[in-house]
Amino acid sequence: MSVRYHVISSMARGWRVKRAGANRATSVHPTQREAFRKARELAKKDFGEVVVHGVDGTVRWSSSYTKEPYPRREQSQLKK
């Protein structure tokens, strides 16, 4: 099961990064861009998903970061 991080507006404090199911925000940032960067960093580490919400709460964008089923190899590692 993948981990989902939400970027949510908080009128008083800026933008929150909140893990799905958590009671408290993982982090708080002054801009949506900074909050998205932190959420993306966490999602990449946990092979999860980021859901970005607008000020009105609607979903603006989402993306998932999963392991590749077949990792890429360098050209020198390929058999000839």
Side-chain angles (χ1 to χ4, degrees), residues 11-26:
M11 294 296 184
R13 294 187 178 162
W15 293 87
R16 298 179 292 153
V17 175
K18 188 175 174 188
R19 186 176 178 152
N23 293 327
R24 297 174 55 187
T26 303

Side-chain angles (χ1 to χ4, degrees), residues 41-59:
E41 174 188 320
L42 294 168
K44 283 182 176 182
K45 185 180 84 174
D46 295 337
F47 303 108
E49 183 179 359
V50 175
V51 180
V52 179
H53 298 268
V55 175
D56 61 355
T58 60
V59 175

Side-chain angles (χ1 to χ4, degrees), residues 8-16 25 27-31 55:
I8 304 167
S9 173
S10 173
M11 294 296 184
R13 294 187 178 162
W15 293 87
R16 298 179 292 153
S27 59
V28 179
H29 305 271
T31 65
V55 175

